[in-house]
Amino acid sequence: MSETAGSRQKSCGDCVRAKRKCGMEIPKCTRCAKKNIECNYPNSKSSLSDTVIPELDFPWLDDLMQNPSMLPWSGSLQSQLGQGSISSCSMISETQNSQQAIPDYLVDGMEPNRTWLGRTEVDAALRQFKTYPDKWLNEGAAPFIHPHLYASDIPKPLQDAYAACAIFSTKNERNEHVAFAVIEARATELLTSPDQLAWTPLDLLAALQALLIFQFIRLFDGDIRQRALAEEAEPILESWTMQLKARTEVEQHFTTATAPSWRAWVFAESVRRTVTMSVYLCGIYSLVKHGFCVHADAVTANSFTAQRRLWESTSALQWDRVRKSCNPYWITKMEFEVILREAKGDELDDFGMVLLITYNGQDVVDNWLEGMKSGRHRIIQPDFPESLREVTQSQSRV
């Protein structure tokens, strides 16, 4: 028994003795490299297939304390600039760039601005991400999947994603290997679909929404293998997002005032929310894994309709009545001033609320909700500010 237990140890010896979280980098973990001490792992002869993927941890907090060029968002996804014309990202050393390298597909030739977000706001986003699979399973809708968009014919990618949610909801310690095997097979089938060239914009939207569901499951609630596979899928997520934006340029401009019909608006709003959610997910995951985000400008460039009564309308008649009687709260490029000035808390759904928190901060949102006496205090639910340590510990396999 002792031999089996010992073989499960993945952290280096010094981190175990110091009772510190080990990044498990090869050949030296970050902590040992910084302290310039010898770094020994229990299974130094392990094969490449046994290499451990680092846990979602926050070693970057120490770096931020020592790096004056990295400044907080201060309530905005826009990166903060120092005095003069030199941006924060241009002041980062080459050494740090090599240590916190970004995949090539995230770089457009010029190094993007790096920004970061407070732990409470990141926690709020993660808490919501973890609820989306269960919400879609039990309610037949998600903040970016409208329940009436596919009312007559659910596309196969979404059928598979729905089945994956059902399987995941029954996962336990004894059956998780089977559950994850099935979820992995469904996700792989989606990612390698041979019909992609024939997809219509609606097909592409459904595929991207399904992939987002798989990403929520595998990035934040999966085991180490599932998280690694989800990371490998990020380039495809980005590619499909860019394709959807390019193929729906006209539809994305449909607002409640210009859309020719309720169905046209539902499609347009679904596209806007799905594109925003895709980029937002990549940004939040980058914050958790690397400690910084290069997607801030891409998230900020998006707009959407924040009025929940419009999104939750179940018919063309109801939608028409709501748009004539309520402010649609059209949010242009993530400017939420009109919400904080005029809206009530119950006029925003979870999609708008989590973005409002990201851009304005939890304290601002809590004060706004209390001032409006909307009845929605302490964000969306009582346990919303769950610690990131709890979230990441659930994934630990050390």
Side-chain angles (χ1 to χ4, degrees):
M1 293 294 292
S2 60
E3 182 178 351
T4 302
S7 65
R8 293 178 180 172
Q9 179 184 321
K10 303 297 183 181
S11 303
C12 74
D14 192 78
C15 286
V16 171
R17 287 191 294 272
K19 296 182 180 180
R20 295 291 300 275
K21 188 73 70 174
C22 181
M24 295 177 284
E25 294 86 357
I26 301 296
K28 273 190 174 185
C29 72
T30 301
R31 180 174 176 274
C32 290
K34 286 183 177 180
K35 297 173 71 69
N36 197 24
I37 59 177
E38 187 175 356
C39 185
N40 294 315
Y41 291 93
N43 299 313
S44 58
K45 297 183 180 180
S46 59
S47 65
L48 181 62
S49 62
D50 294 326
T51 301
V52 176
I53 301 171
E55 297 177 29
L56 294 179
D57 197 9
F58 301 91
W60 43 270
L61 289 176
D62 295 332
D63 296 334
L64 288 174
M65 298 297 293
Q66 302 172 6
N67 184 8
S69 67
M70 294 285 284
L71 298 177
W73 277 324
S74 299
S76 172
L77 268 172
Q78 301 286 359
S79 59
Q80 305 299 307
L81 303 181
Q83 297 295 326
S85 60
I86 302 178
S87 67
S88 59
C89 65
S90 65
M91 298 167 63
I92 299 175
S93 67
E94 292 182 359
T95 302
Q96 183 180 7
N97 282 336
S98 63
Q99 291 176 344
Q100 296 180 315
I102 306 173
D104 293 338
Y105 66 88
L106 296 180
V107 181
D108 294 328
M110 294 180 61
E111 183 179 1
N113 291 327
R114 293 183 177 184
T115 54
W116 64 279
L117 188 64
R119 175 173 293 195
T120 302
E121 286 70 36
V122 174
D123 186 19
L126 289 179
R127 184 67 182 89
Q128 283 303 288
F129 291 165
K130 289 166 66 68
T131 68
Y132 291 157
D134 185 67
K135 183 184 291 289
W136 191 43
L137 176 65
N138 291 292
E139 301 177 14
F144 58 97
I145 304 178
H146 197 280
H148 294 279
L149 181 59
Y150 311 104
S152 59
D153 185 19
I154 306 296
K156 187 179 185 304
L158 282 173
Q159 292 183 29
D160 290 342
Y162 190 88
C165 291
I167 293 169
F168 184 72
S169 69
T170 65
K171 179 183 68 69
N172 56 47
E173 291 184 358
R174 293 193 298 178
N175 71 3
E176 67 176 1
H177 63 289
V178 178
F180 280 132
V182 176
I183 293 172
E184 180 180 328
R186 296 291 178 93
T188 301
E189 184 179 352
L190 170 63
L191 292 166
T192 59
S193 173
D195 302 324
Q196 295 184 32
L197 293 178
W199 280 350
T200 66
L202 187 62
D203 294 330
L204 181 57
L205 173 60
L208 181 56
Q209 290 174 334
L211 181 53
L212 281 171
I213 292 294
F214 282 117
Q215 293 294 92
F216 290 137
I217 291 175
R218 305 208 293 175
L219 283 175
F220 304 114
D221 284 298
D223 59 9
I224 291 179
R225 172 179 172 81
Q226 297 307 315
R227 177 159 27 102
L229 291 172
E231 289 180 356
E232 291 180 3
E234 285 187 354
I236 297 178
L237 182 72
E238 184 187 67
S239 175
W240 288 0
T241 302
M242 294 176 64
Q243 289 180 46
L244 183 62
K245 286 187 66 176
R247 298 180 65 182
T248 58
E249 289 184 359
V250 174
E251 292 85 350
Q252 288 180 64
H253 289 89
F254 288 162
T255 65
T256 55
T258 61
S261 66
W262 173 56
R263 296 285 299 176
W265 180 85
V266 167
F267 176 76
E269 187 64 24
S270 297
V271 169
R272 287 190 288 262
R273 288 182 174 224
T274 301
V275 167
T276 301
M277 183 59 67
S278 177
V279 184
Y280 183 55
L281 168 62
C282 291
I284 293 297
Y285 189 71
S286 174
L287 282 162
V288 174
K289 186 176 181 181
H290 300 292
F292 60 85
C293 170
V294 297
H295 301 268
D297 293 339
V299 178
T300 304
N302 294 289
S303 304
F304 70 100
T305 308
Q307 176 60 256
R308 72 181 300 159
R309 293 181 178 87
L310 287 166
W311 178 254
E312 295 177 357
S313 295
T314 59
S315 67
L317 179 61
Q318 182 182 5
W319 176 80
D320 190 56
R321 287 175 176 172
V322 172
R323 76 185 181 95
K324 291 178 179 178
S325 61
C326 298
N327 189 330
Y329 295 120
W330 174 251
I331 304 302
T332 303
K333 296 184 178 180
M334 301 300 158
E335 294 288 343
F336 288 92
E337 284 77 7
V338 65
I339 296 294
L340 297 173
R341 186 175 64 250
E342 301 178 13
K344 295 181 180 179
D346 60 2
E347 292 186 276
L348 270 69
D349 64 359
D350 291 353
F351 182 85
M353 189 67 75
V354 74
L355 287 170
L356 178 62
I357 294 168
T358 300
Y359 278 85
N360 292 273
Q362 179 178 317
D363 290 341
V364 171
V365 174
D366 280 342
N367 290 334
W368 165 67
L369 291 174
E370 184 175 357
M372 287 292 180
K373 298 180 180 180
S374 63
R376 293 180 58 166
H377 299 284
R378 299 308 306 168
I379 318 301
I380 299 164
Q381 42 191 309
D383 63 343
F384 200 73
E386 181 184 22
S387 72
L388 280 174
R389 187 174 299 278
E390 267 185 55
V391 175
T392 55
Q393 280 181 349
S394 68
Q395 304 173 43
S396 176
R397 295 294 186 273
V398 179

